[in-house]
Amino acid sequence: MEQRIELAVSTVIFALRPHPTTGRDTLWLPLVKRIREPFLGQWALPGGPLKPAEDLVTSARTTLRRTTGLEPSYLEQLYSFGGIDRSPDRVVSIVYWALVRPDEDARAIDGENVEWFVADEVPALAFDHNAIVTYALDRLRAKITYSDIAHAFTGEEFTIAQLREVHEAVRQVRLDPANFRRQALAHPRIVATGRHVTGTSHRPPALYRLETA
Amino acid sequence: MEQRIELAVSTVIFALRPHPTTGRDTLWLPLVKRIREPFLGQWALPGGPLKPAEDLVTSARTTLRRTTGLEPSYLEQLYSFGGIDRSPDRVVSIVYWALVRPDEDARAIDGENVEWFVADEVPALAFDHNAIVTYALDRLRAKITYSDIAHAFTGEEFTIAQLREVHEAVRQVRLDPANFRRQALAHPRIVATGRHVTGTSHRPPALYRLETA
């Protein structure tokens, strides 16, 4: 009899929150404590077996809602992992990633056995999930340099300083504010809204938005 | 009893060959005529069920060898397709794509029931394979504008004209030779080998290579 191959959908969910020691924004992700073998008691990426009536993104969306209460607008397929030794059973995991905006993250509600961790400081995870987290971080840090993916972390409207802070948090660098502003304003699809941040400042920063291509 | 979800690995294999009417290089891909239901007699992407002892890329490589005799150096995971209505049974297909260099393509041997088609002129395919081919073409045409993926179609050493012809064939455009040369030579990792094409020309074109990052 042929061995059965199981199919799971897992999710890597990134949000920017302050680092517990430095206080600077950094990438966090939620993990779920396993309540059964294998890897009982260890942390793992949220996910579960694909159900016959669910398509892939619906499965990812269901996991997201159950573990974090979130319905982030950025949810994409990341990669499928199918090494033969990644689990005691043969399991192929199709991994989605979600990028959560601050206004979305404000509505996060932790599910059972769920805890958020600094993405670069996760403990030893179940299965090959450390490798999956590393893959996701590498992909995000590469993609932010040649695409508009940073805007998945900004609101619809953002100041140039907010956009720079997203780049700094994701790439773990400090960027020169004047240089960054010059480059951002040269972007053909970053346009001024004509509005400004409301508040007490006597020179409130201008709000921009990203025009869709 | 729960319905079983089948797992398949399919491959989109692109090579540049002359168009049958225009003679200009264009993208071709091999298809396999189905010899069983569903979609008996229709063309489909090469692939098959994932075997328990094979990892994903091994499965893709085996299909490639069986259908085309090829072992191209560029073989990457493209995307996983898991819509619930894409097949009469529930099948999730993990799709790999291969980009074949001319020197590799010269060794192609068509397997049984295999035929090559112009990628933009494929007939109505089995399952959702037309959508998969479109996805692969869109991805390739986007990626060639911001990455070094064109070099998957050149040899290790190439002339600037050869590199331009790859871009023209993939993107289906004509590019100004002088502009293209200027841009290519400004690429920090395209470097002269010091060698030239050997032949009868009294001004043999210089050969370049792409330095690894």
Side-chain angles (χ1 to χ4, degrees):
Chain A
M1 206 189 81
E2 249 199 345
Q3 185 196 340
R4 178 164 174 166
I5 304 174
E6 303 290 333
L7 194 52
V9 176
S10 295
T11 53
V12 180
I13 303 157
F14 287 134
L16 293 175
R17 298 179 173 184
H19 191 281
T21 55
T22 70
R24 292 184 60 82
D25 268 358
T26 192
L27 290 163
W28 291 68
L29 89 182
L31 297 171
V32 183
K33 189 172 262 179
R34 286 186 58 81
I35 54 167
R36 60 176 70 90
E37 295 288 356
F39 300 103
L40 173 68
Q42 271 185 266
W43 296 97
L45 291 170
L50 180 64
K51 298 201 180 90
E54 270 180 354
D55 65 18
L56 304 177
V57 72
T58 303
S59 177
R61 218 176 266 133
T62 304
T63 295
L64 253 166
R65 206 178 309 119
R66 188 183 64 238
T67 52
T68 66
L70 297 174
E71 302 186 35
S73 49
Y74 188 99
L75 176 63
E76 302 281 346
Q77 195 182 108
L78 179 66
Y79 200 75
S80 296
F81 295 81
I84 52 177
D85 295 326
R86 54 188 300 276
S87 169
D89 301 319
R90 181 77 203 273
V91 182
V92 173
S93 289
I94 300 178
V95 178
Y96 277 72
W97 62 343
L99 307 182
V100 183
R101 295 194 314 252
D103 59 307
E104 293 170 336
D105 195 25
R107 295 190 291 274
I109 305 159
D110 289 356
E112 220 176 329
N113 299 308
V114 173
E115 211 171 287
W116 287 71
F117 291 79
V118 173
D120 288 294
E121 301 170 11
V122 293
L125 305 180
F127 308 106
D128 58 352
H129 289 189
N130 286 97
I132 296 177
V133 170
T134 300
Y135 182 94
L137 284 169
D138 288 352
R139 177 79 155 268
L140 177 59
R141 285 171 176 149
K143 201 165 175 184
I144 201 172
T145 67
Y146 65 78
S147 79
D148 294 319
I149 203 171
H151 295 277
F153 287 117
T154 65
E156 200 128 304
E157 302 194 348
F158 50 86
T159 68
I160 299 299
Q162 284 167 343
L163 182 59
R164 173 172 48 79
E165 283 157 15
V166 167
H167 277 266
E168 291 180 335
V170 169
R171 293 163 55 191
Q172 299 182 295
V173 293
R174 292 293 194 104
L175 297 168
D176 179 71
N179 273 343
F180 184 86
R181 165 173 295 273
R182 206 167 18 247
Q183 284 167 19
L185 296 183
H187 188 300
R189 296 194 294 110
I190 291 179
V191 294
T193 62
R195 283 183 290 281
H196 292 75
V197 175
T198 51
T200 52
S201 165
H202 72 292
R203 279 183 59 194
L207 286 166
Y208 294 82
R209 64 185 173 80
L210 184 72
E211 270 189 343
T212 49
Chain B
M1 206 188 84
E2 250 199 343
Q3 185 195 342
R4 178 162 173 169
I5 303 174
E6 303 289 333
L7 194 53
V9 176
S10 295
T11 54
V12 180
I13 303 157
F14 287 133
L16 292 175
R17 297 178 174 184
H19 191 281
T21 57
T22 69
R24 294 183 60 82
D25 269 359
T26 193
L27 290 163
W28 292 69
L29 89 183
L31 297 171
V32 183
K33 188 173 262 179
R34 286 186 58 81
I35 54 167
R36 59 176 71 91
E37 295 288 356
F39 300 102
L40 172 68
Q42 273 184 261
W43 296 98
L45 292 169
L50 181 65
K51 297 201 179 88
E54 268 179 356
D55 64 20
L56 305 177
V57 72
T58 303
S59 178
R61 216 176 266 131
T62 304
T63 294
L64 254 166
R65 204 179 309 116
R66 187 183 65 237
T67 52
T68 66
L70 296 174
E71 304 187 34
S73 49
Y74 188 98
L75 175 63
E76 301 282 347
Q77 194 182 107
L78 179 64
Y79 200 74
S80 296
F81 296 81
I84 52 177
D85 296 326
R86 55 187 301 275
S87 169
D89 302 319
R90 181 78 203 273
V91 182
V92 172
S93 289
I94 300 177
V95 178
Y96 277 72
W97 63 341
L99 306 182
V100 183
R101 295 194 314 252
D103 60 306
E104 292 170 337
D105 195 25
R107 294 191 291 275
I109 304 158
D110 288 356
E112 223 177 324
N113 299 309
V114 173
E115 211 171 285
W116 288 70
F117 292 79
V118 173
D120 288 292
E121 301 170 11
V122 294
L125 304 180
F127 309 105
D128 58 351
H129 288 189
N130 286 97
I132 296 177
V133 170
T134 300
Y135 181 94
L137 284 168
D138 288 352
R139 177 80 155 267
L140 177 58
R141 286 172 175 149
K143 201 165 176 183
I144 201 172
T145 67
Y146 66 77
S147 79
D148 294 319
I149 203 171
H151 294 278
F153 287 118
T154 64
E156 200 130 304
E157 301 195 347
F158 49 87
T159 68
I160 300 299
Q162 285 167 342
L163 182 60
R164 172 172 49 78
E165 283 157 14
V166 167
H167 277 266
E168 291 181 334
V170 169
R171 293 164 54 190
Q172 299 183 296
V173 293
R174 293 294 194 104
L175 297 168
D176 179 71
N179 272 345
F180 184 87
R181 165 172 295 271
R182 209 169 13 250
Q183 284 167 20
L185 296 182
H187 188 299
R189 295 195 293 109
I190 291 180
V191 295
T193 63
R195 283 182 292 280
H196 293 74
V197 174
T198 52
T200 53
S201 164
H202 71 292
R203 279 182 60 193
L207 286 166
Y208 295 81
R209 64 184 174 80
L210 184 73
E211 270 189 340
T212 48

